[in-house]
Amino acid sequence: MTPHQARLAARQGPARPTSGQAPGFTQCNMISLPRDWAWDFLLFAQRNPKPCPVLDVTDPGSHRTVMAPDADLRTDIPLYRIWRDGVLTEEVTDATAHWAEHPDLVTFLIGCSFTFEGALMAAGIPVAHVERGCNVPMFLTDRDCRPAGRMSGRLVVSMRPIPADRVAEAAMISGRTPAVHGAPVHVGAPEALGIADLQRPDFGDPVPVGPGQVPVFWACGVTPQAAVMASRPPFAITHAPGHMFVTDVPETRWQA
């Protein structure tokens, strides 16, 4: 599947997580905020680059990005979330009407760990949620992000079970792409992150940790949604967790 085909599939539905789609191309998290909140979020992202690595910022009101010039950010993500005063009010497959409510929206595209999954699999490291055809499990941790202006919130992480003897290699491979979260933030002991039960993720689907495997946690681009819940901006549009914007940019762009 090419990036264009992935975006076309997003328009036509049904909504599906994008992990494994358009292999070799960058996927992005998305958040759109009214212009008067954009500076606060940009500063929040700058202070928290591990979960919020910004890859592009649009002009106010624009639904275009240089990362995929023929794409429409209002329609080309499989599933969107609409937030009002920090509360999730609905999920939609087309955000055009909601976008029109705030003609000054500034959109941030943020690196996604799906981007380095191809490199993990190419090295023979299994990626369980891809193998199972489900969404990656994501967890709200007890770690506070560094606040910025009106924006604050806790770190969200994604989890992948990795064979114990491949953890160091997985960390090295993902660490080569700091612009898409880079190396893990924690290995093992989910309770050290305030996670009580790996089979009850806050976002996405549960994935079992098998014998000989270790839960490995990466910073996650759903962290801005945790910040929306904590900071309560009057309006926001985000991707639904696991349903990313597929760009035309090769994954190799971000390799350090």
Side-chain angles (χ1 to χ4, degrees):
M1 180 183 290
T2 67
H4 177 75
Q5 289 170 332
R7 295 192 294 269
L8 184 61
R11 294 181 190 179
Q12 296 176 340
R16 296 188 181 94
T18 55
S19 180
Q21 292 187 14
F25 291 90
T26 304
Q27 298 197 26
C28 292
N29 304 272
M30 189 202 81
I31 179 170
S32 300
L33 291 161
R35 182 174 185 170
D36 70 332
W37 278 77
W39 171 253
D40 286 348
F41 181 78
L42 184 62
L43 186 58
F44 179 82
Q46 189 274 334
R47 290 179 176 176
N48 299 281
K50 193 75 169 173
C52 302
V54 175
L55 303 185
D56 192 27
V57 185
T58 70
D59 291 328
S62 175
H63 53 270
R64 302 293 183 183
T65 171
V66 295
M67 298 186 73
D70 70 338
D72 189 326
L73 293 171
R74 303 170 299 180
T75 59
D76 290 359
I77 289 174
L79 191 63
Y80 298 84
R81 287 183 151 190
I82 310 302
W83 304 82
R84 301 181 192 278
D85 297 316
V87 176
L88 176 61
T89 58
E90 58 185 310
E91 292 188 333
V92 298
T93 56
D94 184 333
T96 303
H98 300 85
W99 211 282
E101 294 181 36
H102 289 269
D104 64 345
L105 287 178
V106 176
T107 299
F108 298 83
L109 295 178
I110 293 169
C112 172
S113 58
F114 288 177
T115 301
F116 60 67
E117 288 180 341
L120 295 178
M121 291 185 288
I125 299 173
V127 178
H129 63 273
V130 176
E131 294 177 347
R132 297 169 68 90
C134 66
N135 205 348
V136 65
M138 294 160 274
F139 301 87
L140 184 64
T141 74
D142 61 2
R143 295 189 180 182
D144 289 328
C145 292
R146 184 182 172 193
R150 293 168 287 181
M151 298 297 298
S152 63
R154 290 184 286 164
L155 172 69
V156 176
V157 294
S158 60
M159 188 280 291
R160 295 164 183 80
I162 303 294
D165 62 349
R166 308 296 300 275
V167 169
E169 187 179 359
M172 180 183 67
I173 290 170
S174 58
R176 294 175 185 150
T177 53
V180 291
H181 303 307
V185 296
H186 185 72
V187 175
E191 61 274 12
L193 295 172
I195 299 170
D197 186 350
L198 287 179
Q199 293 307 299
R200 298 184 64 184
D202 296 289
F203 314 95
D205 299 318
V207 171
V209 179
Q213 295 183 326
V214 176
V216 180
F217 301 90
W218 279 266
C220 178
V222 177
T223 299
Q225 298 184 38
V228 167
M229 289 186 276
S231 308
R232 303 179 68 83
F235 185 80
I237 301 174
T238 70
H239 71 292
H243 297 74
M244 304 299 172
F245 177 67
V246 180
T247 78
D248 295 338
V249 180
E251 294 173 353
T252 52
R253 168 81 65 85
W254 316 111
Q255 292 179 358

